[in-house]
Amino acid sequence: MKISILGCGWLGLPLGKYLVEHGHEVKGSTTSETKFPLLQSVGIQPFLLKFSPVVEGEELAEFLQSETLIICIPPRAGKYGEDYHIQQIQSLIPAIKNSSIQSIIYTSSTSVYPDLNREITEEDEVIVSSALIKVEELLKALEVQTTILRCGGLMGVERIGAKYFAGKRINTGQIPVNYIHQDDVIGIISMILDKGFWGETFNVVSPEHPVREAVFLKNCKEYGFDIPIFEEATEAIPFKIISPQKLIEKTGYQFKYANPLDFIYSF
Protein backbone atom coordinates (compact mmCIF):
# COMPACT_ATOMS: atom_id res chain seq x y z
CA MET A 1 0.00 0.00 0.00
CA LYS A 2 1.16 3.56 -0.72
CA ILE A 3 0.81 5.62 2.47
CA SER A 4 1.50 9.30 3.15
CA ILE A 5 2.15 10.36 6.76
CA LEU A 6 1.59 14.05 7.42
CA GLY A 7 3.89 14.86 10.31
CA CYS A 8 6.86 12.55 10.94
CA GLY A 9 7.43 13.52 14.54
CA TRP A 10 7.15 11.60 17.80
CA LEU A 11 4.44 9.27 16.45
CA GLY A 12 4.70 9.64 12.67
CA LEU A 13 8.38 8.68 12.37
CA PRO A 14 8.26 5.33 14.24
CA LEU A 15 4.90 4.62 12.58
CA GLY A 16 6.44 5.16 9.15
CA LYS A 17 9.42 2.97 10.05
CA TYR A 18 7.07 0.19 11.19
CA LEU A 19 4.96 0.40 8.02
CA VAL A 20 8.04 0.30 5.78
CA GLU A 21 9.25 -2.79 7.65
CA HIS A 22 5.87 -4.40 6.97
CA GLY A 23 6.00 -3.91 3.23
CA HIS A 24 4.31 -0.56 2.65
CA GLU A 25 5.62 2.30 0.53
CA VAL A 26 5.71 5.35 2.81
CA LYS A 27 6.01 9.06 2.14
CA GLY A 28 6.53 11.35 5.11
CA SER A 29 6.35 15.09 5.64
CA THR A 30 8.62 17.18 7.83
CA THR A 31 8.96 20.92 8.38
CA SER A 32 12.77 20.74 8.33
CA GLU A 33 14.99 19.57 5.52
CA THR A 34 17.60 18.59 8.13
CA LYS A 35 15.37 15.62 9.02
CA PHE A 36 15.52 14.18 5.49
CA PRO A 37 18.48 11.86 6.24
CA LEU A 38 16.68 10.48 9.32
CA LEU A 39 13.52 9.69 7.36
CA GLN A 40 15.51 8.19 4.51
CA SER A 41 17.48 6.00 6.94
CA VAL A 42 14.29 4.15 7.88
CA GLY A 43 12.98 3.92 4.31
CA ILE A 44 10.58 6.90 4.31
CA GLN A 45 10.53 9.16 1.25
CA PRO A 46 10.77 12.69 2.73
CA PHE A 47 8.78 15.75 1.70
CA LEU A 48 9.19 19.32 2.98
CA LEU A 49 5.77 20.70 3.97
CA LYS A 50 5.02 23.57 6.32
CA PHE A 51 1.70 24.73 7.77
CA SER A 52 1.77 28.29 9.08
CA PRO A 53 -1.18 27.78 9.05
CA VAL A 54 -1.63 27.54 5.27
CA VAL A 55 0.18 24.59 3.73
CA GLU A 56 3.45 25.47 1.97
CA GLY A 57 5.43 23.08 -0.20
CA GLU A 58 5.99 22.65 -3.90
CA GLU A 59 5.65 18.87 -3.72
CA LEU A 60 2.27 18.66 -1.96
CA ALA A 61 0.55 17.09 -4.97
CA GLU A 62 3.24 14.40 -5.24
CA PHE A 63 3.11 13.78 -1.49
CA LEU A 64 -0.61 13.07 -1.76
CA GLN A 65 -0.23 10.58 -4.61
CA SER A 66 -0.98 7.67 -2.27
CA GLU A 67 -3.91 5.47 -1.30
CA THR A 68 -4.01 6.47 2.37
CA LEU A 69 -3.22 9.67 4.26
CA ILE A 70 -2.38 9.51 7.98
CA ILE A 71 -2.55 12.90 9.70
CA CYS A 72 -0.25 13.09 12.73
CA ILE A 73 0.32 16.82 13.12
CA PRO A 74 -0.52 17.93 16.67
CA PRO A 75 -2.83 20.93 17.11
CA ARG A 76 -0.81 24.00 18.04
CA ALA A 77 -3.00 26.16 20.26
CA GLY A 78 -1.43 28.48 22.83
CA LYS A 79 -0.26 31.69 21.19
CA TYR A 80 -1.50 30.44 17.83
CA GLY A 81 -5.13 30.19 18.98
CA GLU A 82 -7.70 27.42 18.69
CA ASP A 83 -8.40 28.09 15.01
CA TYR A 84 -4.79 27.49 13.91
CA HIS A 85 -5.15 23.71 13.50
CA ILE A 86 -8.50 24.11 11.76
CA GLN A 87 -6.91 26.47 9.24
CA GLN A 88 -4.08 23.99 8.67
CA ILE A 89 -6.48 21.23 7.68
CA GLN A 90 -8.77 23.56 5.71
CA SER A 91 -5.81 24.57 3.56
CA LEU A 92 -5.05 20.91 2.89
CA ILE A 93 -8.55 19.84 1.84
CA PRO A 94 -8.51 21.14 -1.78
CA ALA A 95 -5.30 19.20 -2.41
CA ILE A 96 -6.83 16.05 -0.92
CA LYS A 97 -9.86 16.41 -3.20
CA ASN A 98 -7.56 16.56 -6.23
CA SER A 99 -5.42 13.63 -5.15
CA SER A 100 -5.56 9.83 -5.29
CA ILE A 101 -6.20 9.57 -1.54
CA GLN A 102 -8.94 7.00 -0.89
CA SER A 103 -8.81 6.82 2.91
CA ILE A 104 -7.69 8.96 5.85
CA ILE A 105 -6.67 8.23 9.44
CA TYR A 106 -6.75 11.25 11.72
CA THR A 107 -5.15 11.12 15.17
CA SER A 108 -7.46 13.15 17.38
CA SER A 109 -7.55 13.19 21.19
CA THR A 110 -9.72 12.16 24.13
CA SER A 111 -9.52 15.81 25.22
CA VAL A 112 -12.63 16.30 23.05
CA TYR A 113 -14.69 14.76 25.88
CA PRO A 114 -15.72 16.77 28.95
CA ASP A 115 -14.97 15.46 32.44
CA LEU A 116 -18.20 13.67 33.34
CA ASN A 117 -16.89 11.75 36.38
CA ARG A 118 -17.70 8.40 34.78
CA GLU A 119 -16.82 6.08 31.92
CA ILE A 120 -16.91 7.70 28.48
CA THR A 121 -17.66 6.01 25.14
CA GLU A 122 -17.68 7.28 21.56
CA GLU A 123 -21.43 7.88 21.92
CA ASP A 124 -20.99 10.46 24.67
CA GLU A 125 -21.15 14.21 24.22
CA VAL A 126 -18.09 16.06 23.02
CA ILE A 127 -16.89 19.63 23.42
CA VAL A 128 -18.31 21.00 20.17
CA SER A 129 -16.11 24.09 20.31
CA SER A 130 -12.96 21.92 20.28
CA ALA A 131 -10.68 22.51 17.30
CA LEU A 132 -10.18 18.75 17.06
CA ILE A 133 -13.92 18.13 16.74
CA LYS A 134 -14.16 20.76 14.03
CA VAL A 135 -11.29 19.09 12.15
CA GLU A 136 -12.90 15.66 12.59
CA GLU A 137 -16.08 17.03 10.99
CA LEU A 138 -14.16 18.65 8.12
CA LEU A 139 -12.48 15.35 7.27
CA LYS A 140 -15.63 13.25 7.64
CA ALA A 141 -17.40 15.59 5.21
CA LEU A 142 -14.97 14.62 2.45
CA GLU A 143 -15.88 11.94 -0.07
CA VAL A 144 -13.04 9.88 1.37
CA GLN A 145 -13.43 7.07 3.91
CA THR A 146 -12.10 8.48 7.17
CA THR A 147 -11.36 6.86 10.52
CA ILE A 148 -10.86 9.01 13.61
CA LEU A 149 -8.60 7.81 16.43
CA ARG A 150 -9.20 9.68 19.69
CA CYS A 151 -5.96 8.93 21.51
CA GLY A 152 -5.41 9.16 25.25
CA GLY A 153 -2.22 10.49 26.78
CA LEU A 154 0.58 9.32 24.47
CA MET A 155 3.31 7.55 26.44
CA GLY A 156 6.41 5.52 25.61
CA VAL A 157 10.05 6.10 24.70
CA GLU A 158 11.01 9.24 26.69
CA ARG A 159 7.43 10.23 27.55
CA ILE A 160 7.01 9.07 31.15
CA GLY A 161 4.21 10.55 33.23
CA ALA A 162 6.15 10.99 36.48
CA LYS A 163 9.01 12.79 34.71
CA TYR A 164 6.86 15.89 34.28
CA PHE A 165 5.85 16.00 37.95
CA ALA A 166 9.09 14.92 39.63
CA GLY A 167 9.31 16.55 43.07
CA LYS A 168 6.25 18.72 42.43
CA ARG A 169 3.12 19.02 44.53
CA ILE A 170 0.12 17.26 43.02
CA ASN A 171 -3.48 16.89 44.22
CA THR A 172 -4.72 14.70 41.37
CA GLY A 173 -3.05 11.49 42.53
CA GLN A 174 -6.36 9.64 42.84
CA ILE A 175 -7.58 10.47 39.35
CA PRO A 176 -7.58 7.50 36.91
CA VAL A 177 -5.26 7.85 33.92
CA ASN A 178 -6.20 7.50 30.26
CA TYR A 179 -2.87 6.55 28.73
CA ILE A 180 -1.89 4.72 25.55
CA HIS A 181 1.55 3.40 24.65
CA GLN A 182 3.19 4.41 21.37
CA ASP A 183 3.54 0.74 20.39
CA ASP A 184 -0.22 0.23 20.66
CA VAL A 185 -1.09 3.34 18.63
CA ILE A 186 1.19 2.03 15.89
CA GLY A 187 -0.31 -1.46 16.19
CA ILE A 188 -3.86 -0.11 15.96
CA ILE A 189 -3.11 2.04 12.90
CA SER A 190 -1.43 -0.91 11.20
CA MET A 191 -4.43 -3.11 11.94
CA ILE A 192 -6.85 -0.53 10.49
CA LEU A 193 -4.78 -0.36 7.31
CA ASP A 194 -4.57 -4.14 6.99
CA LYS A 195 -8.21 -4.94 7.81
CA GLY A 196 -9.91 -1.82 6.47
CA PHE A 197 -11.84 -0.48 9.45
CA TRP A 198 -12.92 2.71 7.72
CA GLY A 199 -15.61 5.24 8.55
CA GLU A 200 -15.14 4.66 12.28
CA THR A 201 -14.39 6.71 15.38
CA PHE A 202 -12.42 4.83 18.02
CA ASN A 203 -11.17 5.69 21.48
CA VAL A 204 -7.53 4.62 21.59
CA VAL A 205 -6.72 4.14 25.27
CA SER A 206 -5.35 1.27 27.33
CA PRO A 207 -8.32 -0.65 28.79
CA GLU A 208 -7.07 -0.41 32.39
CA HIS A 209 -7.04 2.85 34.32
CA PRO A 210 -4.90 2.85 37.46
CA VAL A 211 -4.79 6.08 39.45
CA ARG A 212 -2.08 8.60 38.69
CA GLU A 213 -0.34 8.13 42.04
CA ALA A 214 0.18 4.39 41.41
CA VAL A 215 1.61 5.04 37.94
CA PHE A 216 3.90 7.85 39.08
CA LEU A 217 5.25 5.93 42.07
CA LYS A 218 6.11 2.99 39.81
CA ASN A 219 7.76 5.36 37.28
CA CYS A 220 9.85 6.95 40.04
CA LYS A 221 10.94 3.60 41.41
CA GLU A 222 11.97 2.27 38.00
CA TYR A 223 13.59 5.39 36.53
CA GLY A 224 14.86 7.28 39.55
CA PHE A 225 12.70 10.40 39.41
CA ASP A 226 12.02 12.45 42.53
CA ILE A 227 8.70 11.33 44.00
CA PRO A 228 5.94 13.95 43.64
CA ILE A 229 4.39 15.32 46.81
CA PHE A 230 0.87 13.90 46.76
CA GLU A 231 -1.60 16.15 48.54
CA GLU A 232 -5.22 15.47 49.36
CA ALA A 233 -7.55 17.48 47.17
CA THR A 234 -9.60 20.06 49.07
CA GLU A 235 -12.55 19.53 46.72
CA ALA A 236 -13.72 16.93 44.25
CA ILE A 237 -11.65 16.92 41.07
CA PRO A 238 -13.53 16.12 37.84
CA PHE A 239 -12.32 13.15 35.82
CA LYS A 240 -13.22 10.80 32.99
CA ILE A 241 -12.50 7.15 32.24
CA ILE A 242 -12.21 6.65 28.49
CA SER A 243 -13.44 3.26 27.28
CA PRO A 244 -11.77 1.50 24.32
CA GLN A 245 -14.43 -1.22 24.34
CA LYS A 246 -15.78 -0.34 20.88
CA LEU A 247 -12.29 -0.74 19.40
CA ILE A 248 -11.77 -4.07 21.16
CA GLU A 249 -15.15 -5.53 20.22
CA LYS A 250 -15.23 -4.30 16.62
CA THR A 251 -11.64 -5.06 15.63
CA GLY A 252 -10.49 -7.75 18.07
CA TYR A 253 -7.32 -5.76 18.75
CA GLN A 254 -5.23 -7.13 21.61
CA PHE A 255 -3.26 -4.48 23.45
CA LYS A 256 0.46 -4.97 23.93
CA TYR A 257 0.12 -2.85 27.07
CA ALA A 258 -3.36 -3.18 28.56
CA ASN A 259 -2.24 -1.54 31.81
CA PRO A 260 -0.17 1.69 32.06
CA LEU A 261 1.57 0.16 35.08
CA ASP A 262 3.24 -2.22 32.62
CA PHE A 263 4.45 0.38 30.11
CA ILE A 264 8.09 0.02 29.06
CA TYR A 265 10.09 3.12 28.18
CA SER A 266 13.44 3.78 26.52
CA PHE A 267 15.29 7.07 26.78
Side-chain angles (χ1 to χ4, degrees), residues 1 8 22 35 39 63 66 70 77 124 163 206 216 227 248:
M1 187 182 296
C8 283
H22 287 75
K35 286 188 68 176
L39 270 63
F63 172 74
S66 295
I70 303 174
D124 277 297
K163 181 173 73 172
S206 291
F216 285 7
I227 296 175
I248 295 169

Side-chain angles (χ1 to χ4, degrees), residues 232-254:
E232 187 173 343
T234 56
E235 57 185 33
I237 296 177
F239 67 93
K240 55 195 171 193
I241 300 174
I242 307 297
S243 171
Q245 201 57 35
K246 176 185 173 182
L247 172 73
I248 295 169
E249 292 179 357
K250 191 141 196 171
T251 71
Y253 181 77
Q254 295 184 344

Side-chain angles (χ1 to χ4, degrees), residues 10-216:
W10 186 84
L11 176 61
L13 179 61
L15 170 63
K17 179 176 182 291
Y18 180 92
L19 294 176
V20 168
E21 291 171 348
H22 287 75
H24 299 289
E25 181 181 325
V26 179
K27 301 175 182 178
S29 81
T30 176
T31 58
S32 174
E33 205 164 349
T34 60
K35 286 188 68 176
F36 275 27
L38 177 59
L39 270 63
Q40 291 167 331
S41 72
V42 297
I44 299 172
Q45 183 182 358
F47 288 79
L48 185 66
L49 297 176
K50 297 182 180 181
F51 291 80
S52 54
V54 176
V55 61
E56 302 170 15
E58 297 178 357
E59 298 179 311
L60 178 60
E62 184 182 349
F63 172 74
L64 291 174
Q65 290 307 307
S66 295
E67 299 164 52
T68 298
L69 172 65
I70 303 174
I71 301 176
C72 290
I73 54 173
R76 300 175 69 182
K79 67 177 181 179
Y80 294 99
E82 284 292 320
D83 289 339
Y84 191 86
H85 186 53
I86 300 170
Q87 293 167 0
Q88 288 178 315
I89 302 305
Q90 283 176 328
S91 75
L92 184 67
I93 284 176
I96 293 175
K97 289 180 177 179
N98 291 322
S99 73
S100 59
I101 296 295
Q102 300 169 21
S103 52
I104 296 173
I105 293 175
Y106 175 62
T107 54
S108 186
S109 167
T110 56
S111 66
V112 302
Y113 298 111
D115 292 328
L116 299 177
N117 302 324
R118 59 171 174 80
E119 186 175 76
I120 303 289
T121 73
E122 293 85 351
E123 301 303 315
D124 277 297
E125 65 180 279
V126 295
I127 302 170
V128 293
S129 61
S130 165
L132 292 170
I133 288 297
K134 293 178 180 179
V135 169
E136 287 183 15
E137 295 304 319
L138 282 171
L139 294 173
K140 287 191 289 187
L142 292 172
E143 294 181 3
V144 176
Q145 50 190 5
T146 298
T147 288
I148 307 295
L149 302 183
R150 292 175 178 164
C151 299
L154 296 170
M155 297 293 169
V157 198
E158 84 295 347
R159 290 191 181 182
I160 309 171
K163 181 173 73 172
Y164 307 103
F165 294 90
K168 296 181 180 179
R169 295 182 180 275
I170 177 173
N171 67 354
T172 56
Q174 298 308 307
I175 298 299
V177 300
N178 297 291
Y179 288 164
I180 183 69
H181 196 280
Q182 183 189 77
D183 289 354
D184 276 314
V185 181
I186 291 172
I188 288 164
I189 291 175
S190 178
M191 174 202 62
I192 290 169
L193 293 169
D194 291 343
K195 297 185 178 180
F197 290 105
W198 300 113
E200 300 285 356
T201 297
F202 291 125
N203 291 337
V204 178
V205 179
S206 291
E208 296 187 38
H209 305 269
V211 296
R212 185 174 289 181
E213 181 175 348
V215 175
F216 285 7

